[in-house]
Amino acid sequence: MLALRLVRGSHPLVQLRRLLVAAAAAGVGFLLLCTLGYAVGHPAHSSASVLRLLWCALPIAATVQFAVAVARTDPATRPRPGLSSAGLGPARLTAVAAASTAVACTLGSLVALLLYLHLRGDITGLPFDGAAAGLLAADQPLPLAAALTLLAIVPVAGSVAAGLALRPRGARAPAPEGAARPVPTGLPWGVALVAVGLAVETYAGRGGGAGVALPGRFDGSPGGVLAGWVLTAAGLALAGPGLTHLCGRLLQTARPGAVRLLAGRVLMTEATRIGRPLGVVCAVLSGTLAAATLYGAAGGGTAFGPLTGLGAGVVMACTTATLLTAALESRQCRTHTAEALQRLGAPPTVLRTAALLRAGALTAVFLPLTWLIGELAALPLTA
């Protein structure tokens, strides 16, 4: 009840972010139900059904990541003076954050169930002249227990991840504003994973092999190429904080001024918070570029099905929204620094110029990297 009251009394922008989480959960829930419908309609193709279910792990992971990012920026779960005396200590606020995430994801799952039942014709008859009947196995009874189990994946995973991310940690004195932060150590491992992934893709692409049936109509990808894509994406996500920290160092080289120093120090301080979702976005965009290259090589619109497009859209939307939410969280953490600069008489253009410098440095590093990895990833299958 407390979580519902906090949700109801939040700012409209906070409510919008929660609705976006619900929308992402609805998209993933619909994908899971469509996978169940395929399994019900094709009982002889159990391996293909399991593979489709495994491919839903990518949208699930992207949705859970977005839900955690929204929970971290929720003002209702932020410790404030006086809340502990009212029984809302750090542990209770963590439980509230987990409950709020579960409420938003459950709402999306219910919307997905209603839409799925409507398209199957279980509520008001077959809509669209039964165009979706074959895709959703409308002629077969829906196993309700299996459907509810699949729909519970996102709410449970989202609430658990939010609780783990916001759990109270041991008392630790915060580092002062000017102190040096620990340098991210994942850059060498990320580069190694990217190299291994590209090598695996190249070897599998030359060697060929049996195609893996994706959720759609594109089934010409050798399993080794897909495994290489996964390794490459994991390497980019792991290298993101290190690359962001490197961008901050580059901004402070060659006799920097006050604005460049401010922009570089912010990037170094926020490297982990911003770099990880930025690396994930880079991985998604490189995979999208590779898929677009394969789409052109396939000769038109017969390569991918509607569910593949829905899953890709959920992943792209969630990863982009996670990056924007992380940037908002970083801005909230720098509120005291901005107020101190304003008290010192710094002009308002200083913060805007520093933000533009940060965006330009990140774009100059991550955009060519994304294009290069996307081209290299698509090369084994288009050669």
Side-chain angles (χ1 to χ4, degrees):
M1 293 301 297
L2 177 61
L4 291 176
R5 290 178 181 177
L6 291 175
V7 167
R8 187 180 58 184
S10 300
H11 192 273
L13 291 180
V14 179
Q15 300 282 25
L16 177 61
R17 292 198 294 267
R18 290 169 179 160
L19 288 178
L20 290 178
V21 172
V28 176
F30 188 79
L31 281 175
L32 291 172
L33 291 177
C34 290
T35 301
L36 177 61
Y38 179 86
V40 171
H42 303 81
H45 302 135
S46 58
S47 59
S49 301
V50 173
L51 184 61
R52 286 169 176 259
L53 184 61
L54 291 178
W55 272 105
C56 293
L58 293 178
I60 291 174
T63 302
V64 170
Q65 183 193 26
F66 178 44
V68 171
V70 170
R72 290 175 64 95
T73 57
D74 195 340
T77 60
R78 192 174 304 148
R80 292 185 296 274
L83 289 181
S84 297
S85 60
L88 291 176
R92 185 71 181 277
L93 289 178
T94 301
V96 170
S100 301
T101 304
V103 168
C105 295
T106 302
L107 176 63
S109 298
L110 291 178
V111 172
L113 179 60
L114 292 177
L115 178 61
Y116 184 79
L117 293 177
H118 173 67
L119 293 178
R120 277 175 50 93
D122 295 335
I123 299 179
T124 58
L126 283 173
F128 308 113
D129 297 329
L135 183 64
L136 306 181
D139 56 338
Q140 300 290 333
L142 178 67
L144 186 57
L148 294 179
T149 302
L150 290 177
L151 290 177
I153 292 177
V154 175
V156 172
S159 60
V160 170
L164 292 177
L166 298 177
R167 69 187 186 278
R169 295 173 175 85
R172 182 182 303 173
E177 287 294 329
R181 265 68 172 181
V183 180
T185 58
L187 182 57
W189 296 102
V191 173
L193 273 180
V194 170
V196 170
L198 292 176
V200 170
E201 291 178 40
T202 303
Y203 179 80
R206 290 179 179 178
V212 177
L214 303 181
R217 292 186 293 272
F218 183 73
D219 55 359
S221 297
V225 173
L226 300 178
W229 277 2
V230 173
L231 289 176
T232 302
L236 286 173
L238 188 60
L243 290 175
T244 305
H245 193 274
L246 180 61
C247 290
R249 284 193 174 274
L250 292 177
L251 280 176
Q252 300 177 79
T253 57
R255 302 176 64 180
V259 177
R260 284 171 55 193
L261 279 174
L262 177 62
R265 182 54 61 92
V266 169
L267 279 182
M268 292 174 63
T269 304
E270 304 292 333
T272 302
R273 181 180 287 115
I274 298 178
R276 187 169 290 112
L278 187 58
V280 173
V281 169
C282 180
V284 171
L285 290 179
S286 63
T288 303
L289 180 61
T293 304
L294 294 178
Y295 181 85
T302 60
F304 301 99
L307 299 183
T308 308
L310 176 59
V314 170
V315 171
M316 292 182 63
C318 288
T319 52
T320 304
T322 301
L323 178 59
L324 296 177
T325 306
L328 176 62
E329 182 185 5
S330 176
R331 182 180 178 182
Q332 292 175 352
C333 294
R334 299 194 309 270
T335 302
H336 298 293
T337 303
E339 293 175 352
L341 290 175
Q342 292 175 359
R343 287 195 301 267
L344 292 174
T349 56
V350 171
L351 295 177
R352 291 195 292 268
T353 306
L356 290 177
L357 282 176
R358 293 195 301 270
L362 293 175
T363 302
V365 171
F366 280 91
L367 189 60
L369 180 64
T370 301
W371 175 82
L372 177 62
I373 292 180
E375 290 295 328
L376 293 176
L379 188 60
L381 292 183
T382 57

